[in-house]
Amino acid sequence: MQILSALVVSVLAFSNGAAAAFDCKKAQVAGFTYDLSALSTEITLESNATTPPTITGTNYKLNICGPLASAPDSVPEIDRCPANAWVCRSVTNYKKDEKSRVTEVNAVAGVSSKDEPSLEARASGNESPREFHWKMSGTKVDNVEWSADIKLVCDKSAKNENPPTLVGFSQGVLSLEWSVPAACALGDSGDGGKDKSPDNDKDDTSSQGGFFSTLFTLFIVGSTLYLVVGVLYKSLVVRATGLDMIPNLAFWREFPYLCADFAQHMWDMASGRRRDGYSVV
């Protein structure tokens, strides 16, 4: 039974590993590919408001390509952004001659390790979208689910290092606007057309390789499940032991001979040796 448990754990781990994660380098929007990897960095936006007798500072930390890195040990755990957060909001209160105090820390986007953003845009025929929205939900505060809505705009005259613009935070929704070259589709020469370059052919080849890789993964997972479930059935229901626990044992014993017969049959057909009627024994 220890062997069966190990097989089950292996299947689950393999299945989880096969799940596709959000790929910033090949983000898909309306059938077009965007390389957002240049934006894969942690950005902090700050805004201050005078709230006599104090000043309230609001910080937004974000990374559109993955969860934020853990805060250093010097930051008290209660003041850190929650784990798995992609966008974090913290509010700090400042008062003259007094130590600053963090009054609020919450995840605007990202709660669990399985959370991923969605990319939304209005399709416009064969032209790639010149702007699209990066959306992701976060934690619930006072029964209101927070979320982030980042509008990415294709701007070849800008720089990817430019930070996004804070539009506002209302009713739990953080709105940002980000004009960068990375928000332009791959191969976009400015007219919004699909990529006609050789690099696009490489992407197509890579996609085909991904298809066969997926088929191979499904075959391995299916075969392993077949073996595990068959062994469990033979062991718990039929009470079989040893090699008899292997499902369809008689078939697998004959399988090599069946393959040999099939190969011989195909060879005879290809070489023209096939004859009708009985053969001399």
Side-chain angles (χ1 to χ4, degrees):
M1 293 302 292
Q2 292 180 348
I3 297 177
L4 295 178
S5 301
L7 285 172
V8 172
V9 171
S10 299
V11 171
L12 293 176
F14 195 84
S15 300
N16 292 334
F22 179 72
D23 188 356
C24 233
K25 193 171 182 62
K26 295 182 179 180
Q28 298 297 314
V29 182
F32 293 84
T33 303
Y34 292 74
D35 185 359
L36 304 178
S37 59
L39 309 179
S40 180
T41 182
E42 292 190 5
I43 296 175
T44 301
L45 304 176
E46 301 179 0
S47 65
N48 294 321
T50 302
T51 52
T54 65
I55 294 178
T56 300
T58 304
N59 286 6
Y60 295 97
K61 185 178 291 187
L62 63 108
N63 186 346
I64 68 169
C65 290
L68 299 169
S70 301
D73 295 338
S74 58
V75 179
E77 186 173 354
I78 196 173
D79 294 340
R80 301 177 188 176
C81 292
N84 304 312
W86 294 47
V87 182
C88 179
R89 179 178 189 262
S90 63
V91 179
T92 306
N93 188 263
Y94 303 94
K95 192 174 184 181
K96 187 177 180 180
D97 301 328
E98 292 186 12
K99 187 177 179 180
S100 61
R101 183 175 58 130
V102 177
T103 60
E104 179 185 330
V105 180
N106 276 309
V108 179
V111 176
S112 74
S113 58
K114 297 181 180 179
D115 288 345
E116 291 185 0
S118 63
L119 303 178
E120 302 176 4
R122 291 183 179 179
S124 179
N126 292 326
E127 294 187 353
S128 60
R130 308 298 290 176
E131 61 183 48
F132 57 93
H133 290 259
W134 182 102
K135 294 183 178 182
M136 192 175 187
S137 59
T139 189
K140 277 190 176 181
V141 179
D142 295 332
N143 293 325
V144 176
E145 185 177 57
W146 284 13
S147 63
D149 183 351
I150 304 176
K151 180 181 178 181
L152 290 112
V153 181
C154 172
D155 186 354
K156 292 182 178 294
S157 64
K159 295 182 178 180
N160 288 321
E161 292 76 15
N162 295 344
T165 301
L166 176 60
V167 178
F169 181 78
S170 176
Q171 297 181 347
V173 179
L174 172 65
S175 299
L176 304 175
E177 186 167 322
W178 207 350
S179 299
V180 285
C184 302
L186 289 178
D188 189 349
S189 58
D191 59 359
K194 289 189 177 180
D195 188 5
K196 303 296 184 181
S197 63
D199 290 339
N200 193 43
D201 296 335
K202 294 180 180 179
D203 290 339
D204 293 340
T205 303
S206 177
S207 299
Q208 293 175 2
F211 171 75
F212 288 109
S213 176
T214 302
L215 286 181
F216 178 74
T217 299
L218 292 175
F219 172 76
I220 294 298
V221 173
S223 300
T224 308
L225 284 174
Y226 162 78
L227 179 62
V228 171
V229 173
V231 170
L232 284 173
Y233 175 80
K234 284 293 194 72
S235 175
L236 300 178
V237 178
V238 183
R239 300 295 182 182
T241 59
L243 291 177
D244 292 334
M245 297 173 62
I246 299 176
N248 305 112
L249 179 60
F251 169 78
W252 294 115
R253 281 176 172 170
E254 295 293 332
F255 187 71
Y257 303 103
L258 294 174
C259 290
D261 289 342
F262 177 76
Q264 183 64 47
H265 177 70
M266 296 302 295
W267 172 254
D268 290 343
M269 289 183 63
S271 59
R273 292 191 197 176
R274 183 177 180 182
R275 297 179 181 178
D276 296 331
Y278 296 98
S279 59
V280 179
V281 177

